[in-house]
Amino acid sequence: MIILGIESSCDETAAALVTGDRQVLAHRLLGQEAAHAPFGGVVPEIAARAHVEALEPLIVAALADAKLTLADVDAVAATAGPGLIGGVMVGLVTGKALAHAAGKPLIAVNHLEGHALSPRLSDPDLEFPYLLLLVSGGHCQLLLVEGVGAYRRLATTIDDAAGEAFDKTAKLLGLGFPGGPAVERAAALGDAKAVPLPRPLKGSAEPHFSFAGLKSAVARVVGQYPPEDIAASFQAAVVDCLIDRTTRALRTSYGATALVVAGGVAANTAVRGALQRLATDNGLRFVAPPLWLCTDNAAMIGWAGAERFAAGLTDPLDVAARPRWPLDPTAEAVRGAGVKA
């Protein structure tokens, strides 16, 4: 089985060829950091136009790298949401066109499912069910991953995601874009105990996350402490919140085979280290994808497509792009989260 994966949900344009036995035959990715850096964040219109220009050459290059043609592909998997709707539409329409022209099945992949299943691409021993901390720029959730297409949400953010807080902190401190790696680099030079910052919802009976108050607290101390100390203290506060909430979720995740982390913030060394210790303390395996597979990429979309294709799940060519698409549509709405949940 060979799946062509396409990803364009935010500011990374990517194409990959992935097999059902976990081989990444080719992966091409083009970032847009230079285009968005002057604005300190992703500008949706700029991102969508960049996807239009970059996607076709990337697909052609990926097929050439794998020494394949479109006729050799078994299915086309494209991100259909959630994400910036302009970018999502570029990738999904491209996937539809290729699937139709080649007579191949289309698989509309939930971007979050791509992250959720990505650890199974890098770790063939990871079995369902597992407790997943999905932590990225737009989402912060704890999910019990019970199988392909079967996700039970245990917690979500009631306001900002952790990755969003990293980006806003970087902007406040003038550290550059993208914010997550910039904050981590600055934090390595600072004192994590120097700045008193809150840990929203830590110890709360409510299972969810909150990072808006932490972000606001950072804004109030800018200029009072060295940027490196603020970055280190902020990162420590995020880690404390993630560990506290994940610890709570572990108490109800009966039968979980592993503690798993995925998403862009999973590339943060402090986050990974703290979760590794938590898993060890609870007698669980800890699984995290390699760093390149944590951030947005097409290999995870191709792999999610492979998992869905193997389960007999394909989609019609009129499937719609979706700016919001919860992995667990039955989950109860929480205060503040609205459609982001």
Side-chain angles (χ1 to χ4, degrees), residues 147-172:
V148 177
Y151 307 94
R152 182 154 57 90
R153 196 201 74 198
L154 305 178
T156 187
T157 177
I158 65 172
D159 41 57
D160 295 342
E164 182 180 354
F166 267 97
D167 287 341
K168 295 295 176 60
T169 294
K171 190 171 184 177
L172 288 167

Side-chain angles (χ1 to χ4, degrees), residues 19-162:
T19 71
D21 60 355
R22 295 179 169 82
Q23 295 182 64
V24 180
L25 301 179
H27 186 257
R28 288 283 185 134
L29 182 146
L30 185 64
Q32 303 174 8
E33 289 89 351
H36 300 289
F39 307 97
V42 178
V43 181
E45 178 63 20
I46 292 175
R49 290 179 180 273
H51 290 310
V52 171
E53 295 175 359
L55 188 52
E56 180 185 354
L58 286 179
I59 293 171
V60 171
L63 286 167
D65 290 345
K67 298 181 173 58
L68 297 172
T69 68
L70 194 57
D72 300 314
V73 171
D74 292 290
V76 178
T79 298
L84 301 177
I85 192 61
V88 171
M89 290 177 66
V90 171
L92 182 58
V93 168
T94 300
K96 289 179 178 182
L98 292 174
H100 178 68
K104 305 293 183 178
L106 173 72
I107 304 166
V109 175
N110 185 315
H111 179 81
L112 301 181
E113 184 169 44
H115 281 304
L117 297 176
S118 64
R120 283 173 48 82
L121 173 59
S122 58
D123 188 338
D125 296 324
L126 179 59
E127 298 180 354
F128 303 120
Y130 51 85
L131 177 63
L132 170 70
L133 172 62
L134 176 52
V135 57
S136 66
H139 298 270
C140 189
Q141 300 181 4
L142 283 159
L143 299 143
L144 190 63
V145 181
E146 299 173 327
V148 177
Y151 307 94
R152 182 154 57 90
R153 196 201 74 198
L154 305 178
T156 187
T157 177
I158 65 172
D159 41 57
D160 295 342

